[in-house]
Amino acid sequence: MKKRYALVGTGGRAEFFYGAIVKDFQETSELVAICDINQTRMNFTNGLLVNKYEYNAVPTYKADQFEEMIRREKPDYVIVTSVDRTHHTYIIKAMELGCDVISEKPMTVDEEKCQEILDTIKRTGRQLRVTFNYRYAPHNTKIRELIMDGTIGDVHSVHFEWLLNTEHGADYFRRWHRDKRNGGGLLVHKSTHHFDLVNFWLGTRPETVFAMGGLMFYGRENAEKRGVTNFYQRATGNENAKGDPFALHLDKNKNLKGLYLDAEHEDGYQRDQSVFGDGISIEDTMGVMVRYKNKAILTYSLNAYMPWEGFSVQINGSKGRIEMKVVEKSYVNSGGLKEDEGALKEKTIRVFPMFAAPYKVEIEEGVGGHGGGDPVLLKDIFDKPSDDRFERAASHVDGAMSILTGIAGNISLRTGQPVAVDKLVTF
């Protein structure tokens, strides 16, 4: 029998899931309904289902009809791809109405909402899965394999630097993410991927977190300091935005126009705000230190205005060192092909044994978005999961432990003090 899926939140990340259901996994899965605050956006989504995927249009429900959708359509699973601060609302309601849940990362944005989700899972016995596609990318899985196999012995420290460039990185400052209440800032919304990778690689959990950071490049005040005098509130149709490499013109892209520009009259959401405007409350420059349960130490940095996109990680152990560098293609969410999101331009892994010559590690060539992780994740979700010695499928515990590093980092940013992760929630 096919599994029935309903999806809430038809913005930029939704097509990744519903496109897979209706195209690649029709034998095991069916999409039975979609839900959003915006009817125009749902109509556009149904247009894609019919015209792009040759599927049928599905029933649409406004956000205040979410519970009615569950009762009427009887999905087995609810897929949550709404604004981050609403994840907990839909996760909890779906579970209380008898559904299991698949949530886009981050699971939620603060410790109180996280505790509500954990309590609901205990109370209902339902399952929650968080979609960490980076775990499935062959190069990231290879790091897990090298460490599991004892290649560098016991891991003592990790240095992890992530760079977001002036296209993708800037995009977080154009849209709803720019308000920290919506996504917890980049330490939660974006870094949850990275903190999860460290938990995954090392097979441990964070214990203590200390963070520093600030808004140092984006925002009007920073632009004024650099001598900028030409400002605008939004890019589309604005003369001041012409020629600005940081501007996003919604009317130049069919997908962005259909999902956002044509839908503005319903909810007022503007997808193309100036990254050098007022009202930005998230950081663009962050540094974090983490001590883990196994006593390993992480030094982490995230910068959102770099010339290239990707990351480098160095892992130091009792028997040597692993170095990895990954360069990703640049992209704007919903502005192009899904397989271009996180796709790779370059990847290298080198092992430096303590008393032997360094060597380059062969990496399987992945196909698809996020370094080849996306197709493997989707098969794991919507098809029969296979035995996986690397245990890449992420539970609600994995989802919680990844966001709690970022949540603790946000608390540390506010207080200037280290934060004990165990004191934030009770499992």
Side-chain angles (χ1 to χ4, degrees):
M1 182 181 292
K2 291 183 179 181
K3 296 293 185 183
R4 296 169 62 83
Y5 293 87
L7 181 142
V8 56
T10 57
R13 191 61 180 158
E15 189 179 353
F16 172 74
F17 294 100
Y18 71 70
I21 291 172
V22 304
K23 180 183 177 183
D24 299 321
F25 299 99
Q26 289 193 41
E27 292 186 4
T28 60
S29 313
E30 61 178 322
L31 182 69
V32 298
I34 54 178
C35 178
D36 200 288
I37 62 172
N38 193 296
Q39 186 64 49
T40 303
R41 194 170 297 126
M42 289 192 285
N43 294 345
F44 182 81
T45 298
N46 262 332
L48 290 179
L49 285 170
V50 172
N51 299 315
K52 179 177 178 179
Y53 292 102
E54 298 180 347
Y55 197 71
N56 55 279
V58 298
T60 63
Y61 293 83
K62 296 294 284 290
D64 60 358
Q65 299 173 306
F66 178 77
E67 294 183 30
E68 178 188 344
M69 176 184 74
I70 302 299
R71 293 190 179 99
R72 182 177 293 180
E73 307 299 340
K74 296 179 171 56
D76 300 299
Y77 292 87
V78 172
I79 301 172
V80 179
T81 55
S82 56
V83 173
D84 297 350
R85 63 173 167 77
T86 67
H87 284 187
H88 74 296
T89 300
Y90 296 119
I91 290 169
I92 291 168
K93 284 183 180 179
M95 288 182 168
E96 289 175 343
L97 291 170
C99 301
D100 291 327
V101 180
I102 298 166
S103 177
E104 180 57 67
K105 61 83 199 163
M107 189 172 85
T108 188
V109 298
D110 61 41
E111 67 274 26
E112 292 179 2
K113 294 180 177 66
C114 183
Q115 188 67 65
E116 290 180 42
I117 292 171
L118 297 176
D119 292 344
T120 302
I121 291 171
K122 280 184 184 178
R123 186 174 70 252
T124 65
R126 306 311 307 186
Q127 293 186 335
L128 169 63
R129 181 159 180 181
V130 184
T131 54
F132 286 119
N133 41 14
Y134 271 110
R135 287 182 171 211
Y136 293 82
H139 52 285
N140 291 328
T141 303
K142 178 59 71 172
I143 297 294
R144 165 90 158 158
E145 180 182 1
L146 291 170
I147 292 173
M148 285 177 66
D149 291 349
T151 304
I152 59 169
D154 296 327
V155 174
H156 297 317
S157 68
V158 179
H159 178 71
F160 197 150
E161 181 180 24
W162 199 284
L163 290 76
L164 295 166
N165 71 1
T166 50
E167 183 176 20
H168 180 211
D171 207 33
Y172 295 108
F173 298 82
R174 299 185 184 110
R175 46 192 174 138
W176 56 260
H177 308 73
R178 73 205 315 253
D179 185 343
K180 201 165 188 175
R181 295 171 298 177
N182 286 332
L186 292 179
L187 280 186
V188 174
H189 178 82
K190 182 62 181 176
S191 300
T192 183
H193 267 316
H194 317 150
F195 298 140
D196 176 69
L197 280 176
V198 179
N199 296 343
F200 171 65
W201 288 335
L202 273 56
T204 188
R205 296 182 179 185
E207 184 176 80
T208 307
V209 178
F210 180 75
M212 293 182 178
L215 183 65
M216 300 183 184
F217 180 78
Y218 297 111
R220 179 157 184 151
E221 185 177 0
N222 291 318
E224 288 174 340
K225 287 178 182 176
R226 294 192 297 272
V228 175
T229 58
N230 199 22
F231 292 95
Y232 55 91
Q233 189 272 325
R234 66 173 307 179
T236 303
N238 196 307
E239 286 293 323
N240 286 352
K242 290 182 178 178
D244 180 5
F246 290 95
L248 181 68
H249 301 277
L250 299 179
D251 54 350
K252 305 297 184 185
N253 182 286
K254 181 180 178 181
N255 218 45
L256 292 173
K257 182 178 183 294
L259 276 176
Y260 300 110
L261 186 62
D262 294 345
E264 280 182 15
H265 66 280
E266 286 196 46
D267 55 25
Y269 174 55
Q270 295 178 341
R271 173 67 176 79
D272 60 344
Q273 297 173 77
S274 169
V275 301
F276 300 117
D278 289 319
I280 297 173
S281 56
I282 64 172
E283 300 81 18
D284 57 24
T285 307
M286 289 142 281
V288 182
M289 290 194 70
V290 184
R291 167 81 79 175
Y292 290 87
K293 296 284 189 181
N294 67 353
K295 303 309 176 187
I297 297 168
L298 167 70
T299 55
Y300 169 83
S301 71
L302 175 65
N303 295 275
Y305 44 91
M306 293 294 100
W308 60 273
E309 176 104 0
F311 67 99
S312 65
V313 60
Q314 296 82 40
I315 305 172
N316 302 305
S318 59
K319 295 182 179 179
R321 171 181 172 95
I322 298 170
E323 295 183 358
M324 176 165 66
K325 181 179 179 181
V326 174
V327 179
E328 296 185 352
K329 291 181 180 178
S330 186
Y331 71 96
V332 169
N333 189 274
S334 301
L337 299 173
K338 286 295 168 188
E339 54 266 34
D340 284 343
E341 293 193 10
L344 302 190
K345 295 173 68 176
E346 172 189 331
K347 61 182 184 298
T348 57
I349 298 176
R350 293 181 65 83
V351 173
F352 295 79
M354 192 168 285
F355 298 111
Y359 59 91
K360 188 175 180 180
V361 176
E362 291 296 319
I363 309 170
E364 175 190 341
E365 198 63 43
V367 178
H370 292 94
D374 283 351
V376 187
L377 169 69
L378 290 168
K379 190 174 189 304
D380 203 16
I381 293 174
F382 297 120
D383 206 347
K384 293 179 181 179
S386 56
D387 291 335
D388 181 10
R389 69 173 287 227
F390 305 117
E391 299 179 332
R392 288 172 291 188
S395 69
H396 68 280
V397 176
D398 300 312
M401 296 318 301
S402 68
I403 59 171
L404 287 171
T405 306
I407 289 166
N410 279 334
I411 296 170
S412 183
L413 285 173
R414 294 196 302 267
T415 64
Q417 300 298 315
V419 176
V421 173
D422 284 349
K423 294 183 178 179
L424 297 179
V425 299
T426 302
F427 284 90

